[in-house]
Amino acid sequence: MVGVAVILALIGVVPSVARLVSAGTSVSAAALRIAEIKRGTLVRDVSAQGKVVAAQAPTLYATAPGTVTLLTHAGDKVEKDQILAEVDSPELTNKLQQEQATLASLDIEVGRAGIDARQKALLAKKTVDSARIDRQTAAREVERKSQAFQKGAMPEIEVLRSKDELAKAELNVNQAQADAQLQNETAAFELKTKRLALERQKLLVADLSRQVDQLKVRAPVAGQVGQLLVQQKANVPINSGLLTVIDLTSLEVELQVPEVFAHDLSIGMPAEISEGTNKYKGELSAVSPEVVNGQVVARVRFAGDKPPGLRQSQQLTTRILIDERPNVLMVERGSFVDSGAGRIAYVVHDGIAERRAIQIGATSLNAVEILSGLKQGERIVISGTDTFNGAEKVVLN
């Protein structure tokens, strides 16, 4: 009976001793995480808690120095083009009034120039008409004296003298016509100069009127007053900020993404925004080129409907879908990816973890793609393997 007991004990102990001798080391299985290689769809994504920010939150500025009168309060809802504040600028208002007076004066000068032009045109026409009458009279005198000379009642010298008078009258007509044309051109040039000065003054007055109108600070978008940057009745310089307006129709979610995913992000990627149990479609709209504390700032805009009653800085969970790979071998992600640099895994079978060379592909937050070295259904250690000390085989107690 003692001999039989010894033999049975040896039968149970020898395999364990053989495994221990062949493995070289042993660890507790309770301290390890083991997962099975499966085939499925690997979804690469990044999820983070983000806050709601306004894609458009313009700051309104004073376009001239003066005293500010605020007509709204922080948090008030406003409509587009609603007057939110007024800047009292006596200097700009006075300048507008002066230029308006100059405009009225130039308008009068243009009217006077038009009257002068018409007067000069009438005078020139009168001179031309008078010269034509004198020419007609001289022509009749030549005809009369020529007939008298033919009848012997008048000497030839009188005929020649009348012809000279006719030539002189013809010259006067031509001179009067040239003078009339020149006077008309001069009057038209002066009138055009006055009109150009008037148009220039109109543009100046229009620009000043625009500047005075901009003293009434209007909301560029419909939304909500975010922050008042000045006190009531404060005296501000030009280009100083007065208040901000938040466009509630263009809200986005801003989130911090780990640096390791930064190079995989691109504008337009689909995203999923969660509010409670509700999920909303979105898309990546911006990625910051700067890395701060191992994080990259990204923004996701709503692609369709958005949660009702969203508020600035509200917290929402956002998930960015980077890639989707169907029908691939994959395993749950663990520390083995870092400890083995993604090239080594310990395959578990019959209580022994055996080292094997592998090759991994894409990784997500919770899964790793297996390209080679492992088969579907095999089980590997996914927790850290630093305690294995690089052993080829490890007994799992």
Side-chain angles (χ1 to χ4, degrees), residues 6-21:
V6 171
I7 292 173
L8 292 176
L10 289 176
I11 293 174
V13 172
V14 168
S16 300
V17 173
R19 286 199 305 269
L20 182 59
V21 172

Side-chain angles (χ1 to χ4, degrees), residues 121-265:
L122 290 175
L123 182 61
K125 184 176 183 303
K126 178 180 178 182
T127 302
V128 172
D129 292 342
S130 178
R132 287 174 178 173
I133 292 174
D134 292 341
R135 182 184 61 181
Q136 184 177 1
T137 301
R140 289 176 180 175
E141 189 67 17
V142 169
E143 183 180 0
R144 184 180 65 81
K145 289 184 178 181
S146 296
Q147 291 177 358
F149 170 73
Q150 291 175 358
K151 294 179 180 180
M154 185 172 291
E156 184 179 5
I157 188 65
E158 293 295 332
V159 176
L160 295 176
R161 186 178 290 115
S162 64
K163 289 182 178 181
D164 292 339
E165 293 293 333
L166 177 60
K168 184 178 179 180
E170 189 72 29
L171 182 63
N172 290 336
V173 170
N174 293 335
Q175 185 66 36
Q177 290 177 342
D179 290 343
Q181 183 177 359
L182 184 60
Q183 289 181 7
N184 290 336
E185 291 178 357
T186 301
F189 179 78
E190 292 178 353
L191 181 59
K192 183 178 180 180
T193 303
K194 298 289 186 182
R195 285 176 176 171
L196 289 176
L198 178 63
E199 292 300 324
R200 179 183 178 279
Q201 189 64 24
K202 285 181 179 179
L203 294 176
L204 180 59
V205 169
D207 183 64
L208 287 173
S209 298
R210 177 187 59 81
Q211 295 181 36
V212 170
D213 184 66
Q214 286 183 346
L215 294 177
K216 297 180 179 179
V217 182
R218 292 179 169 84
V221 294
Q224 185 179 19
V225 177
Q227 184 180 5
L228 301 179
L229 305 178
V230 295
Q231 299 295 327
Q232 185 71 275
K233 297 299 181 180
N235 192 10
V236 298
I238 189 173
N239 295 329
S240 59
L242 303 179
L243 68 160
T244 60
V245 179
I246 301 172
D247 185 2
L248 298 178
T249 63
S250 60
L251 294 176
E252 296 181 349
V253 180
E254 183 180 274
L255 62 154
Q256 304 285 336
V257 179
E259 179 184 359
V260 66
F261 295 102
H263 68 281
D264 294 326
L265 299 179

Side-chain angles (χ1 to χ4, degrees), residues 32-142:
L32 302 177
R33 290 177 56 209
I34 300 174
E36 182 181 348
I37 307 299
K38 298 180 180 180
R39 185 172 293 276
T41 299
L42 177 67
V43 178
R44 298 180 63 207
D45 59 2
V46 55
S47 182
Q49 192 76 8
K51 64 177 181 179
V52 177
V53 297
Q56 297 184 31
T59 300
L60 307 184
Y61 296 87
T63 57
T67 304
V68 178
T69 301
L70 298 174
L71 305 179
T72 187
H73 303 87
D76 289 351
K77 291 186 176 181
V78 296
E79 300 295 333
K80 185 179 180 180
D81 295 329
Q82 179 179 339
I83 299 176
L84 307 180
E86 293 184 3
V87 179
D88 183 17
S89 177
E91 179 182 357
L92 185 59
T93 304
N94 184 45
K95 186 176 181 181
L96 173 61
Q97 293 174 351
Q98 291 177 2
E99 297 301 336
Q100 287 175 337
T102 303
L103 176 63
S105 176
L106 288 176
D107 191 22
I108 293 174
E109 290 184 8
V110 169
R112 184 183 294 113
I115 295 174
D116 292 343
R118 290 194 295 272
Q119 286 180 344
K120 291 179 180 179
L122 290 175
L123 182 61
K125 184 176 183 303
K126 178 180 178 182
T127 302
V128 172
D129 292 342
S130 178
R132 287 174 178 173
I133 292 174
D134 292 341
R135 182 184 61 181
Q136 184 177 1
T137 301
R140 289 176 180 175
E141 189 67 17
V142 169

Side-chain angles (χ1 to χ4, degrees), residues 336-362:
F336 81 99
V337 176
D338 300 322
S339 60
R343 296 191 296 269
I344 297 173
Y346 281 86
V347 182
V348 178
H349 59 86
D350 296 332
I352 295 179
E354 183 179 355
R355 178 172 173 169
R356 187 183 300 180
I358 66 169
Q359 183 181 359
I360 66 173

